[in-house]
């Protein structure tokens, strides 16, 4: 497995928009937890950076998102859509249910009801 000299979040990596000062981060998928990579053990991000054909290393002290055995650096988690600087918004209006009031009632039999 080949390693990269530049981490996707370091200068020289793919350009990306910077977060505004005081920005908050939101996780949009359930089951993810935040960890900090500690030590010199070789661990790799589970997603390849754009334009690369190999997985990059997670660095000591780096904030990482983890779901079971899958680990993502923050840059890759943002590209994948797991995290963002915007919270999910509720719909502006509730869904519209089209039900006719003069429609016939449909009887649904349950399995435990005698026929």
């Amino acid at each position: 497995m080949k390693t990269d000299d530049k981490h996707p979040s370091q200068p020289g990596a793919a350009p990306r928009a910077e977060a505004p000062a005081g920005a908050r981060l939101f996780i949009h998928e359930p089951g993810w937890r935040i960890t900090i990579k500690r030590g010199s053990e070789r661990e790799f991000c589970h997603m390849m950076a754009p334009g690369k054909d190999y997985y990059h290393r997670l660095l000591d002290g780096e904030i990482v998102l983890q779901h079971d055995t899958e680990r993502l650096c923050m840059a890759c988690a943002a590209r994948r859509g797991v995290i963002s600087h915007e919270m999910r918004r509720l719909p502006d209006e509730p869904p519209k249910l089209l039900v006719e009031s003069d429609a016939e009632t449909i009887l649904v039999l349950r399995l435990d009801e005698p026929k």
Side-chain angles (χ1 to χ4, degrees):
M1 195 180 289
K2 184 178 171 185
T3 60
D4 189 14
D5 293 340
K6 292 189 178 183
H7 191 272
S9 60
Q10 292 178 343
R16 58 193 160 100
E18 291 297 318
R24 299 163 83 180
L25 282 175
F26 298 90
I27 299 177
H28 295 296
E29 294 179 13
W32 289 92
R33 62 187 180 98
I34 297 172
T35 61
I36 300 173
K37 199 273 188 193
R38 294 285 182 210
S40 59
E41 183 178 332
R42 289 178 52 156
E43 295 178 11
F44 294 88
C45 181
H46 278 69
M47 190 171 158
M48 292 183 201
K52 306 293 181 187
D53 62 347
Y54 53 88
Y55 297 97
H56 50 274
R57 282 183 77 163
L58 298 172
L59 306 175
D60 182 40
E62 185 172 5
I63 298 172
V64 176
L65 276 108
Q66 183 169 351
H67 187 279
D68 295 327
T69 59
E70 183 178 6
R71 299 181 82 171
L72 294 175
C73 68
M74 298 298 279
C76 289
R79 275 193 298 277
R80 184 170 150 185
V82 175
I83 61 171
S84 75
H85 291 282
E86 294 185 15
M87 61 183 250
R88 281 194 184 163
R89 299 194 180 258
L90 296 174
D92 291 336
E93 58 184 53
K96 296 178 182 171
L97 302 175
L98 303 175
V99 179
E100 296 179 19
S101 60
D102 59 344
E104 293 182 23
T105 304
I106 300 174
L107 178 62
V108 178
L109 297 176
R110 298 168 82 195
L111 294 176
D112 58 334
E113 291 181 7
K115 295 182 180 180

